Amino acid sequence: LIYSGFTSETIEDTNVLDYVSEEYALENYVTLGDDYNFDECPNAIDPSVFYDEDGRLWMVYGSWSGGMFLLELDETTGEVIHPEADPENNVDPYFGKQLLGGGHKSIEGPYILYDEVSGYYYLFVSYGSLVSNGGYQIRVFRSETVDGEYVDMNGKYPTEGVNHAYYGLKLSGNYFLPSLKQAYMATGHNSAFTDEDGKMYICYHTRFDDGSEGHSPRVKQFFVNEEGWPCMLPYATDGETIAENGYAKEEVIGEYYVVNQGTAIDAEIAEPFKLVLTERGNVFGDGIEGKWEMTDGTYYMHITYCEKEYSGVFCEMKDEAGANVMTFSAVGSNESIWGVKYE
């Protein structure tokens, strides 16, 4: 068991003092006002467990408060293996390793997936408030080791006192695309897995732009781009399989409906705008010019517009009305862009 929210009076009702001294606990876990130290210590909820590349079992957990924390588990008993204190590396002897967050910012729902192909551990989290207009969204960080450090596309991660909206690759927020009956809102609190065929998926729940708080689950396939960052497909999975040897140029050129997820944490909906990918590698739209290219013999693509570069993948799939579409999903500057082209 891991406890949070205790005070100096209620700490005796927990197991905290089995692992740290009372002096240490009162100095680090409780404020001068005798409240729980929510800015630096975790809210002990939203746990998920996973194996690392060496077969060791871990638990990542945390919500708002002091951020995301990591603890190793005994595979036989499921009990926590409490580490030695290491303040320089953000390791607490009771709560474990602080991976990111702090300052009671809106970070919750951590989930870690190891991809043996890219060699990265991906830490997914959600930002925002869990209501349709609360800016709820999926972010991802990555690390070459299970205990970090986990960083975004800029090599950074949020800490106490920073505006966390600028940290973490935003995979999905509020958006509208062709074939959707209404905009998707508050897409977040995800898990992720790799199936027996090696395909990777993100499972999450979404609300809708319908004036209610009703929600339902969605599952999307995602791919890792040439630089090792996840790119989530625009539509819910329908059994699509990417062309490993790539697509012909005539299959991918044309007019796309594009949404840019941005990096904000707000109620704004990413609406589609049009971009044309030409045979000669140009990109143009309403006041927009840029370039695009794809790597021969692969599904990888790169696109530049508005002085920003994005790297991603092409994938043929079905929209959510069942129509065949060519899509791309690309990431850059902690933003995700999705494109959808109809035949």
Side-chain angles (χ1 to χ4, degrees):
L1 294 175
I2 295 294
Y3 287 87
S4 64
F6 47 80
T7 67
S8 59
E9 294 183 355
T10 61
I11 196 171
E12 296 286 350
D13 300 325
T14 75
N15 65 352
V16 172
L17 300 184
D18 293 339
Y19 302 98
V20 300
S21 68
E22 184 173 9
E23 180 183 7
Y24 180 94
L26 295 179
E27 181 179 345
N28 292 277
Y29 305 155
V30 179
T31 68
L32 293 177
D34 199 33
D35 293 321
Y36 183 68
N37 185 359
F38 284 105
D39 284 341
E40 298 178 4
C41 299
N43 193 7
I45 64 171
D46 292 348
S48 62
V49 298
F50 66 97
Y51 287 96
D52 68 13
E53 60 178 321
D54 298 319
R56 294 164 65 184
L57 184 63
W58 299 83
M59 177 179 71
V60 61
Y61 71 101
S63 172
W64 292 60
S65 301
M68 308 291 95
F69 282 72
L70 181 73
L71 283 165
E72 188 172 2
L73 302 181
D74 185 301
E75 184 180 21
T76 302
T77 65
E79 294 181 354
V80 171
I81 301 174
H82 288 273
E84 295 290 330
D86 185 358
E88 290 187 1
N89 291 305
N90 297 322
V91 178
D92 180 84
Y94 182 72
F95 293 118
K97 173 72 177 288
Q98 184 191 40
L99 299 179
L100 52 83
H104 203 63
K105 300 293 185 180
S106 64
I107 303 177
E108 64 182 24
Y111 199 96
I112 292 178
L113 176 70
Y114 175 68
D115 174 30
E116 61 182 15
V117 177
S118 68
Y120 285 107
Y121 293 88
Y122 296 103
L123 169 58
F124 300 90
V125 297
S126 290
Y127 288 2
S129 176
L130 186 52
V131 290
S132 60
N133 64 354
Y136 209 57
Q137 58 190 254
I138 301 171
R139 301 269 182 150
V140 66
F141 300 81
R142 74 181 187 188
S143 172
E144 294 181 347
T145 59
V146 67
D147 59 348
E149 63 182 8
Y150 286 86
V151 298
D152 63 15
M153 299 188 76
N154 297 321
K156 299 179 179 180
Y157 59 92
T159 57
E160 183 180 351
V162 303
N163 183 347
H164 59 308
Y166 300 113
Y167 299 84
L169 166 57
K170 184 177 177 181
L171 291 180
S172 181
N174 305 327
Y175 66 89
F176 180 75
L177 281 171
S179 83
L180 302 184
K181 295 180 180 179
Q182 56 221 345
Y184 283 9
M185 307 286 288
T187 58
H189 208 126
N190 72 289
S191 60
F193 68 93
T194 304
D195 73 6
E196 59 184 7
D197 296 323
K199 293 182 176 180
M200 292 185 290
Y201 296 90
I202 292 176
C203 307
Y204 64 94
H205 54 66
T206 181
R207 286 167 164 76
F208 306 93
D209 186 26
D210 61 2
S212 79
E213 294 301 325
H215 63 281
S216 65
R218 289 292 184 275
V219 180
K220 288 187 176 181
Q221 190 173 179
F222 76 94
F223 298 93
V224 174
N225 68 11
E226 287 186 295
E227 293 75 33
W229 286 103
C231 299
M232 193 162 74
L233 293 183
Y235 292 114
T237 187
D238 189 43
E240 66 279 344
T241 297
I242 204 165
E244 293 289 341
N245 295 323
Y247 299 93
K249 182 169 286 189
E250 57 266 24
E251 293 180 279
V252 300
I253 61 174
E255 184 180 76
Y256 286 79
Y257 294 92
V258 177
V259 294
N260 187 328
Q261 300 286 312
T263 58
I265 308 174
D266 57 29
E268 293 298 313
I269 297 170
E271 297 282 354
F273 57 95
K274 292 183 179 180
L275 284 182
V276 176
L277 276 55
T278 74
E279 185 176 3
R280 294 188 176 184
N282 295 312
V283 174
F284 66 88
D286 185 11
I288 296 174
E289 294 182 356
K291 298 287 185 179
W292 78 276
E293 62 182 7
M294 61 181 179
T295 305
D296 291 341
T298 76
Y299 49 74
Y300 296 121
M301 59 87 69
H302 297 263
I303 183 171
T304 300
Y305 76 93
C306 295
E307 300 183 349
K308 289 186 179 181
E309 299 180 6
Y310 303 88
S311 173
V313 302
F314 284 115
C315 184
E316 188 176 16
M317 64 184 309
K318 292 184 182 295
D319 70 8
E320 293 183 24
N324 293 322
V325 292
M326 177 60 69
T327 72
F328 68 76
S329 176
V331 299
S333 301
N334 284 335
E335 299 176 350
S336 292
I337 60 172
W338 299 337
V340 181
K341 179 177 77 79
Y342 287 85
E343 297 178 355

